[in-house]
Amino acid sequence: MSRLVLFVLLATLVILAACSKESSPAPAPPSANAPSTSFSGDAGRGKELITRHGCNVCHAVPGIDGFQGRLGPSLAGIASRSQFSTGRIENSPENLAQFIRNPSALNPQSTMPPVN
C-alpha cells in the first residue's frame, strides 16, 4: 500500500474518531499533552479503508456502522491523544501510519497485526 493511501487512512481514522453524529462542544484550548501536529484527510476514503480492513473488528470506531470491537482500544478521540499504544508512541501522522503498517516495529508488545 502506498504511503499516500496509508496517510489518508490514518488521517481519516483520526477524523472519524474525533467526530460524532451529535454536535460537539467547542474545542478545549491546547494543553501541554496535546499532539502538536494537525491531522487532515478524506473521511470517505478512510471509512472505506476502515471497512475494507475490518478495523472495527478489534476497535470501536465512531462513524462506522455495525460491529464495534473491544479487543483493541476505542479510536474515539484519537486525534486529541498525545500518545497511543498504551502511551508508548508519540501521536503524529507519521508514527500512526508506521504503527498501522507494522505495529511491532514501534511497540514490540503490541498485539495488533500489521496492515500492509
Side-chain angles (χ1 to χ4, degrees):
M1 192 178 303
S2 74
R3 286 184 67 146
L4 177 60
V5 171
L6 285 173
F7 180 76
V8 170
L9 171 63
L10 161 73
T12 304
L13 280 171
V14 171
I15 290 169
L16 287 173
C19 298
S20 70
K21 292 181 182 177
E22 303 158 19
S23 62
S24 44
S31 71
N33 294 330
S36 59
T37 306
S38 65
F39 294 85
S40 64
D42 178 347
R45 177 78 172 132
K47 189 172 185 177
E48 173 190 329
L49 291 169
I50 288 167
T51 302
R52 181 186 313 157
H53 291 286
C55 301
N56 59 307
V57 170
C58 294
H59 301 277
V61 186
I64 300 296
D65 293 331
F67 184 81
Q68 297 290 303
R70 295 178 186 229
L71 181 63
S74 170
L75 299 181
I78 187 76
S80 65
R81 299 178 197 166
S82 58
Q83 294 101 15
F84 61 92
S85 191
T86 63
R88 296 174 190 267
I89 303 167
E90 180 183 345
N91 192 2
S92 71
E94 297 80 15
N95 285 348
L96 192 51
Q98 182 179 355
F99 183 78
I100 290 169
R101 275 188 239 107
N102 187 6
S104 63
L106 292 178
N107 179 1
Q109 296 176 343
S110 176
T111 56
M112 181 171 149
V115 179
N116 296 319

